[in-house]
Amino acid sequence: MRVTWATDQGSPERLNEDFVAAAPGAVVVLDGCGLPLGTDLGCVHGTAWYARSLGTRLLTRMLDGLGPQAGPPVAPPEGVHRPARRPLVARLAGAIADVAAAHRASCDLTVPTTPAATVLAVRVRGDLVDYLVLADSTILLERVTGEVEEITGGPYYAAADPGAADAAITGTVPLGELRRVLMLTDGATRLADMFGATGWDGLARLAAEQGPGAVVERTREAERTDPRGRRWPRRKIHDDATLAVCAFDSP
């Protein structure tokens, strides 16, 4: 798997609250929930710290699952029921618990506005590709047939409760069926889902042919044509934008 990415800060007034990281066989992309400046988060660290901390812990836990012990589950004895595996959910839950433990002593994690983030994860496991989507970031599965499938999660975000991981959309696809997987925060999906400048297939093609940075730059160009948000009403005129492209074809 070859991974390229681009990330761009949406506003000079706040840190880039997106986070992207990759290691052999695993990639994570997170979008910290950027609340209005001055919001009491009950946390001395902030949203960018939370996204970074959760992302690094999740990536570490994903890598722990790529050792010799990883692979298809052993079939249970006849007559014994075993719940279906949901790839990466347990690792996300563990990472959420890790971060909560890391700042529970200094921060009030019961505040409803406690730092939170969307989560995307992709892992290559032998001849399989696992993916996870939590909240409103998006994964695009580009198959060798040319079909592009868009997957976006629901209303639940990673915050202080490990149980949020159960709300993630997960799946596993044979490696041979995929050409690329694109991982996008909602600041990088605007060309398709807000501005209508292209469809998901066009967005995937632009990223593949010109690189992730081209998607971000085209997004910024469109945003600058509507500086007051009148044509496309939006809470943030420029949002943090991050796009990672995981390619499985030969170089």
Side-chain angles (χ1 to χ4, degrees):
M1 178 171 66
R2 294 178 291 112
V3 184
T4 56
W5 70 72
T7 185
D8 187 60
Q9 183 178 354
S11 168
E13 297 178 355
R14 59 199 309 156
L15 297 173
N16 188 341
E17 294 168 336
D18 285 358
F19 177 79
V20 55
V27 188
V28 296
V29 172
L30 289 83
D31 181 359
C33 299
L35 299 176
L37 293 174
T39 299
D40 179 12
L41 305 178
C43 175
V44 300
H45 303 95
T47 300
W49 173 90
Y50 178 80
R52 181 173 66 250
S53 299
L54 181 60
T56 53
R57 285 166 171 81
L58 175 57
L59 186 64
T60 298
R61 285 177 170 269
M62 289 166 63
L63 296 174
D64 287 344
L66 292 177
Q69 76 280 7
V74 177
E78 185 176 355
V80 176
H81 172 73
R82 180 178 293 169
R85 297 176 71 196
R86 295 191 64 214
L88 305 177
V89 168
R91 287 176 170 78
L92 175 57
I96 294 172
D98 289 346
V99 178
H103 72 135
R104 180 172 286 113
S106 58
C107 306
D108 182 0
L109 306 189
T110 66
V111 173
T113 51
T114 190
T118 73
V119 182
L120 302 175
V122 168
R123 175 182 66 178
V124 177
R125 180 168 48 91
D127 60 356
L128 300 173
V129 177
D130 300 325
Y131 64 84
L132 176 146
V133 181
L134 182 67
D136 62 357
S137 287
T138 298
I139 274 182
L140 300 180
L141 303 178
E142 183 182 352
R143 300 182 185 272
V144 294
T145 60
E147 175 191 5
V148 175
E149 178 184 359
E150 174 260 336
I151 304 168
T152 305
Y156 297 98
Y157 294 78
D161 178 9
D166 289 331
I169 297 172
T170 65
T172 298
V173 182
L175 178 61
E177 293 184 6
L178 291 173
R179 182 176 295 149
R180 278 175 285 270
V181 174
L182 286 75
M183 309 165 71
L184 309 95
T185 63
D186 64 350
T189 60
R190 288 180 167 187
L191 287 176
D193 63 7
M194 181 179 289
F195 303 152
T198 185
W200 295 117
D201 55 344
L203 193 64
R205 186 165 54 251
L206 175 61
E209 295 177 354
Q210 300 187 35
V215 174
V216 175
E217 182 52 37
R218 293 278 184 88
T219 302
R220 297 297 187 229
E221 289 173 359
E223 290 168 342
R224 287 192 288 268
T225 68
D226 182 33
R228 298 186 182 277
R230 291 173 178 167
R231 181 178 180 186
W232 300 298
R234 54 200 189 273
R235 186 168 63 87
K236 297 178 181 177
I237 297 301
H238 305 285
D239 196 2
D240 298 336
T242 299
L243 166 59
V245 178
C246 311
F248 305 105
D249 52 340
S250 301

